[in-house]
Amino acid sequence: MPTRLLSAASLERFVPGIAFLVYVLALMWLLVRFLRREDALGRGLNLVLTGHPAEAEQVFRKALAAGGRMKPDERRRLLTSLGDALMDMGRYEESRQCLESALAMGDPTGSCRSSLADLWLMLGREPDKALEMANQAVEASTDGLGEIDSLGIGYRWMSDILRAGLWAQRAQALAGLGRMSESQESIGFAVRLASGARELLSGRWRPRRLLFIVATIGVSQTYWRIGMACLAMGKLDDARDSFSIGSDADAKRKYGARCRQQLAQMGVPVG
């Protein structure tokens, strides 16, 4: 029997499957891009998140020194990440210089301004600057995370959990200024945005490993910041609950460790 060309009706039946395949491939490309980087940025970020900032500093500095043809956005990311590593080591002035140099190169997702907000919060001075940077980071994230949103509503939680961390940071800055009602409102936004990632971690179904990592880091960071905001407002029970959520979400990395440290200081037994 001679081979016949597919009819228009037959083609229509294949289109949804092809579209879904393209969708999945696009998703996996994005996840690999953010979480399986074999370059200096990926290696350094992993070292920062697992509590090895001094080693991360060497990775970032080596890459910056060798990057003759480096694109501006890659240099900006490396400088921001170096600033974070220096901040974790208590080298605050060097951190500020790196972050301000990165900010001068642009900040489409708000990550650099978020790091500057963290720096001012950690120093405990000039709280107005911390709030200014936190507000700008929230505003930048609205458009800057559109690449993730474009993958579809099923993965909207990925950009939501990143935004949740920024709203929680804003709440922390507001609490430091004594603006309690505004801080509580920002906490409400953060909690709602984090709900999708928390559902991923609830055990109802086991996500792919890469998705799981995004959720654990995001939830842990968000609830550490919420806990710090609650501490500043004197809401000790809420702070304890938030730190417990953050610790349970990600016991192995930076923000889970910070949550456990706060719980220990509050006299709460931690594993």
Side-chain angles (χ1 to χ4, degrees):
M1 182 179 295
T3 303
R4 293 185 299 173
L5 294 175
L6 287 172
S7 66
S10 299
L11 281 171
E12 287 178 0
R13 289 198 297 270
F14 280 99
V15 167
I18 294 170
F20 180 73
L21 177 60
V22 172
Y23 175 87
V24 171
L25 289 173
L27 171 66
M28 294 310 297
W29 171 83
L30 186 67
L31 290 173
V32 168
R33 177 182 169 188
F34 280 106
L35 298 174
R36 282 189 174 173
R37 301 182 69 114
E38 295 298 328
D39 58 8
L41 183 61
R43 294 195 305 273
L45 286 174
N46 184 60
L47 287 167
V48 170
L49 287 169
T50 53
H52 303 283
E55 295 173 48
E57 178 192 3
Q58 297 308 311
V59 172
F60 294 140
R61 289 196 185 280
K62 183 178 179 180
L64 286 164
R69 294 187 176 181
M70 187 180 297
K71 294 181 180 179
D73 63 332
E74 187 175 356
R75 179 171 291 276
R76 171 179 50 78
R77 292 190 189 103
L78 284 167
L79 281 169
T80 299
S81 299
L82 175 58
D84 289 338
L86 292 167
M87 194 188 317
D88 286 351
M89 291 186 284
R91 292 159 59 183
Y92 300 126
E93 181 57 26
E94 293 175 80
S95 174
R96 183 188 64 79
Q97 291 173 4
C98 280
L99 293 172
E100 289 181 351
S101 294
L103 183 59
M105 303 174 72
D107 188 26
T109 63
S111 62
C112 184
R113 279 168 284 191
S114 177
S115 292
L116 279 166
D118 271 342
L119 178 62
W120 292 120
L121 287 167
M122 192 169 292
L123 289 171
R125 61 174 187 258
E126 300 192 71
D128 289 332
K129 283 190 176 181
L131 180 59
E132 180 185 4
M133 289 293 105
N135 281 334
Q136 290 181 15
V138 167
E139 291 170 7
S141 71
T142 302
D143 295 326
L145 297 174
E147 185 176 12
I148 298 176
D149 289 343
S150 68
L151 291 172
I153 194 169
Y155 294 91
R156 176 64 183 270
W157 67 267
M158 292 173 64
S159 59
D160 281 351
I161 191 57
L162 296 174
R163 291 189 181 99
L166 297 177
W167 277 100
Q169 184 182 60
R170 182 178 186 271
Q172 189 182 351
L174 286 164
L177 286 165
R179 294 161 63 174
M180 306 306 184
S181 61
E182 293 172 86
S183 178
Q184 196 62 54
E185 183 180 24
S186 288
I187 288 173
F189 279 120
V191 168
R192 286 194 291 275
L193 286 166
S195 62
R198 287 195 67 191
E199 187 173 345
L200 264 177
L201 303 180
S202 67
R204 296 179 188 176
W205 61 283
R206 183 71 177 182
R208 291 180 181 272
R209 182 174 178 272
L210 294 176
L211 298 175
F212 191 77
I213 292 172
V214 173
T216 55
I217 294 173
V219 170
S220 185
Q221 181 195 63
T222 296
Y223 278 88
W224 173 74
R225 287 174 169 167
I226 290 174
M228 295 302 290
C230 291
L231 273 184
M233 291 188 286
K235 298 184 176 183
L236 300 186
D237 289 344
D238 290 343
R240 183 192 62 237
D241 293 345
S242 295
F243 291 137
S244 294
I245 293 170
S247 175
D248 291 344
D250 193 5
K252 297 180 179 179
R253 298 182 183 88
K254 173 178 175 178
Y255 292 100
R258 289 185 178 183
C259 287
R260 291 193 300 278
Q261 182 182 38
Q262 291 297 329
L263 288 169
Q265 290 177 6
M266 298 174 76
V268 179
V270 291

